[in-house]
């Protein structure tokens, strides 16, 4: 094990700040309930019962540890000698890393005596993961979702309903994620005694950024042990895609005190114009969104700017406060992959490895391939945050089966 304990003990501070970022900027009515969550989390996260229960769930229910896999065919196709390894979160139960923090949040709710989990969802991935956790623990679950997203993401709505979750349609404003957040917060404020608000990434007011990071820590910790066992050494570079930043934070945290380069990949979208991407670190500046301080894509008035990515799980105008801090101290480097690069790696993983990745995860792989092309040796470990079942129809209807995107890989063309 590494000596990451040094870093983890220092950040965040008691008020939830990572340097200038994070904290808790919330209406007065929310202060007491969030304080209660913070205190419960601090107490419980050190308790033997909580930790051993979470370990048991990960092993017997989620199927952890997920494997780390040497993507040998892709490495050979790149052909520079640099080797790419994938941490297979697509093999975690429900097909992505999100269940890791949802099981943690639901277990916390159970320990706190809460009866109901409340959250919003955009594309429905967080909603499905949380509904799964609620079913496992026998808790009620209420997911707020914009009407526009409900129409777009029908399979996830069906999943949530099958899992016993109440999906609340949000019908005001643009009827998408932002309105769903407001609606979920209102529902939570009506009964903070019996319910708990469950945030879907390393974002939101303290303690969620640190709590979600801790629940995702297992991803990087497992991968660190696995790659050392497979190669005899630490990787040179660890990479992950960054939306809010939970899969990346879980992957990076165990390597923070190691001599390992860390690179986050943000969605470059269609262009660098505002509204065409969600590359917060490249184009954003300090601001406040959803109760915390971070890098933010914003207009002159400090309102969140419109964002876009081919991967709906990445189109968030803010980013986790810890990422904002790690960016400023230059411990993590942030780069982008655009829609075209994402599609190229999506099809490449399908044909060369037999893995259909989530479009979000394909951004991280695109970044890794670009890095690998510039090196003549070494290893790059990439978090493959989820599987692509949810993206199949969208990708094939809009972009076909890949020949057009694989022109640089002639041996893969039929
Ligand atoms: C939601 C999601 C993401 C983005 O969320 P982060 O908090 O940035 O990790 C990435 N990959 C998959 C598969 C997702 O479902």
């Amino acid at each position: 094990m590494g000596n990451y304990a040094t870093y983890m003990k220092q950040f965040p501070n008691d008020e939830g700040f990572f340097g200038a970022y994070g904290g808790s900027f919330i209406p007065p009515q929310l202060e007491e309930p969030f304080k209660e969550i913070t205190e419960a989390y601090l107490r419980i996260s050190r308790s033997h019962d909580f930790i051993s229960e979470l370990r048991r769930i990960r092993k017997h229910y989620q199927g952890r540890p997920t494997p780390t896999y040497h993507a040998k065919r892709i490495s050979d196709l790149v052909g520079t000698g640099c080797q790419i390894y994938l941490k297979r979160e697509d093999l975690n139960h429900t097909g992505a890393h999100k269940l890791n923090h949802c099981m943690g949040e639901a277990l916390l709710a159970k320990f706190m005596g809460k009866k109901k989990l409340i959250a919003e969802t955009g594309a429905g991935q967080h909603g499905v993961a949380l509904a799964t956790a609620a079913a496992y623990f026998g808790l009620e679950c209420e997911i707020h979702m914009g009407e526009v997203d409900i129409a777009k993401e029908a399979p996830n709505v069906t999943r949530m309903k099958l899992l016993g979750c109440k999906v609340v349609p949000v019908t005001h404003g643009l009827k998408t994620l932002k309105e769903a957040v407001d609606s979920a917060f209102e529902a939570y404020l009506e009964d903070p005694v019996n319910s708990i608000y469950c945030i879907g990434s390393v974002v939101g007011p303290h303690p969620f950024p640190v709590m979600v990071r801790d629940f995702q820590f297992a991803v990087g910790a497992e991968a660190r042990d696995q790659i050392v066992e497979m190669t005899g050494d630490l990787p040179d570079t660890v990479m992950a895609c960054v939306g809010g930043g939970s899969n990346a934070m879980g992957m990076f945290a165990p390597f923070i005190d190691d001599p390992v380069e860390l690179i986050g990949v943000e969605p470059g979208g269609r262009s660098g114009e505002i509204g065409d991407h969600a590359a917060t670190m490249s184009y954003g500046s300090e601001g406040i969104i959803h109760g915390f301080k971070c890098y933010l894509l914003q207009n002159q008035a400090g309102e969140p700017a419109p964002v876009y990515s081919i991967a709906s799980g990445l189109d968030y105008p803010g980013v986790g406060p810890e990422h904002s801090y790690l960016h400023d101290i230059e411990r993590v480097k942030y780069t982008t992959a655009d829609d075209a690069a994402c599609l190229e790696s999506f099809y490449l993983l399908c044909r060369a490895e037999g893995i259909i990745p989530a479009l979000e995860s394909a951004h991280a792989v695109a970044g890794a391939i670009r890095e690998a092309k510039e090196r003549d040796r070494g290893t790059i470990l990439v978090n493959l945050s989820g599987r692509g079942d949810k993206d199949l129809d969208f990708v094939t209807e809009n972009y076909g089966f890949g020949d057009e995107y694989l022109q640089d890989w002639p041996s893969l063309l039929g």
Side-chain angles (χ1 to χ4, degrees):
M1 277 304 203
N3 54 346
Y4 47 74
T6 329
Y7 169 86
M8 299 283 282
K9 273 199 193 109
Q10 271 178 292
F11 295 98
N13 72 9
D14 291 346
E15 281 78 47
F17 279 96
F18 301 85
Y21 306 100
S24 185
F25 301 83
I26 51 179
Q29 320 91 283
L30 280 177
E31 273 169 23
E32 204 44 50
F34 271 78
K35 209 173 125 209
E36 190 203 345
I37 297 174
T38 306
E39 279 163 8
Y41 177 63
L42 286 179
R43 194 173 63 244
I44 283 163
S45 64
R46 296 184 193 120
S47 103
H48 176 265
D49 284 355
F50 184 85
I51 294 166
S52 59
E53 179 63 5
L54 202 53
R55 286 211 178 119
R56 202 185 59 77
I57 290 167
R58 285 179 180 152
K59 180 169 177 198
H60 296 284
Y61 181 65
Q62 294 179 229
R64 305 200 68 88
T66 58
T68 289
Y69 165 71
H70 180 198
K72 186 165 185 311
R73 288 202 69 213
I74 287 187
S75 306
D76 287 349
L77 284 165
V78 171
T80 55
C82 181
Q83 302 299 314
I84 296 174
Y85 288 76
L86 305 173
K87 175 60 173 167
R88 299 287 308 274
E89 286 305 287
D90 59 317
L91 298 176
N92 194 30
H93 179 44
T94 72
H97 71 287
K98 282 197 175 72
L99 192 66
N100 300 331
H101 60 249
C102 286
M103 292 307 280
E105 288 173 334
L107 183 61
L108 175 70
K110 193 93 185 168
F111 271 65
M112 289 176 78
K114 306 286 182 188
K115 296 187 176 59
K116 189 194 223 176
L117 310 179
I118 299 179
E120 78 289 336
T121 195
Q125 297 301 107
H126 177 51
V128 169
L130 198 63
T132 303
Y136 177 91
F137 287 106
L139 295 163
E140 283 175 60
C141 185
E142 184 179 300
I143 301 290
H144 295 246
M145 191 168 182
E147 257 187 347
V148 170
D149 291 328
I150 289 182
K152 255 180 23 198
E153 311 289 347
N156 276 343
V157 176
T158 305
R159 284 188 189 101
M160 283 187 266
K161 288 183 178 165
L162 274 174
L163 293 161
C165 162
K166 182 176 163 200
V167 180
V168 180
V170 180
T171 56
H172 64 276
L174 295 174
K175 303 172 190 166
T176 60
L177 184 62
K178 188 180 171 298
E179 291 79 19
V181 174
D182 297 340
S183 169
F185 260 109
E186 272 166 39
Y188 172 54
L189 272 177
E190 275 170 27
D191 189 9
V193 174
N194 292 305
S195 60
I196 185 168
Y197 192 85
C198 294
I199 292 176
S201 186
V202 286
V203 298
H206 182 57
F208 283 92
V210 60
M211 188 162 93
V212 170
R213 173 197 74 189
D214 292 353
F215 290 146
Q216 290 295 346
F217 189 86
V219 175
E222 287 170 12
R224 193 177 179 283
D225 287 348
Q226 288 164 331
I227 198 151
V228 168
E229 194 186 313
M230 291 167 89
T231 68
D233 209 346
L234 288 169
D236 296 283
T237 302
V238 176
M239 299 183 73
C241 65
V242 179
S246 64
N247 88 85
M249 221 39 254
M251 192 68 173
F252 294 165
F255 291 97
I256 277 191
D257 289 330
D258 291 327
V260 167
E261 179 186 33
L262 305 173
I263 305 179
V265 184
E266 294 193 309
R270 297 181 284 239
S271 84
E273 295 291 312
I274 199 117
D276 271 1
H277 62 79
T280 311
M281 295 299 189
S282 302
Y283 300 99
S285 53
E286 193 182 307
I288 292 181
I289 182 174
H290 296 145
F292 70 105
K293 206 177 266 187
C294 63
Y295 272 88
L296 178 67
L297 293 166
Q298 54 192 326
N299 65 19
Q300 301 278 331
E303 291 153 354
V307 284
Y308 158 84
S309 165
I310 191 172
S312 50
L314 300 180
D315 62 0
Y316 186 62
V319 65
E322 190 164 13
H323 284 288
S324 303
Y325 172 71
L326 292 168
H327 169 271
D328 282 8
I329 64 166
E330 295 180 13
R331 178 63 190 92
V332 179
K333 195 168 106 188
Y334 294 85
T335 175
T336 62
D338 63 15
D339 285 1
C342 162
L343 285 166
E344 181 188 17
S345 350
F346 176 90
Y347 291 119
L348 191 60
L349 272 167
C350 291
R351 284 203 206 177
E353 298 287 356
I355 297 170
I356 302 175
L359 286 172
E360 290 81 3
S361 324
H363 283 78
V365 176
I369 289 170
R370 191 170 59 209
E371 288 289 330
K373 282 180 177 168
E374 286 165 11
R375 304 178 182 193
D376 57 6
R377 59 161 85 198
T379 53
I380 300 177
L381 172 64
V382 187
N383 196 7
L384 197 80
S385 54
R387 66 177 183 227
D389 303 43
K390 65 186 178 61
D391 300 315
L392 294 184
D393 293 344
F394 172 79
V395 169
T396 52
E397 279 163 25
N398 290 283
Y399 306 99
F401 287 84
D403 281 8
E404 224 183 291
Y405 288 86
L406 293 172
Q407 298 299 318
D408 290 344
W409 313 89
S411 67
L412 294 175
L413 294 170

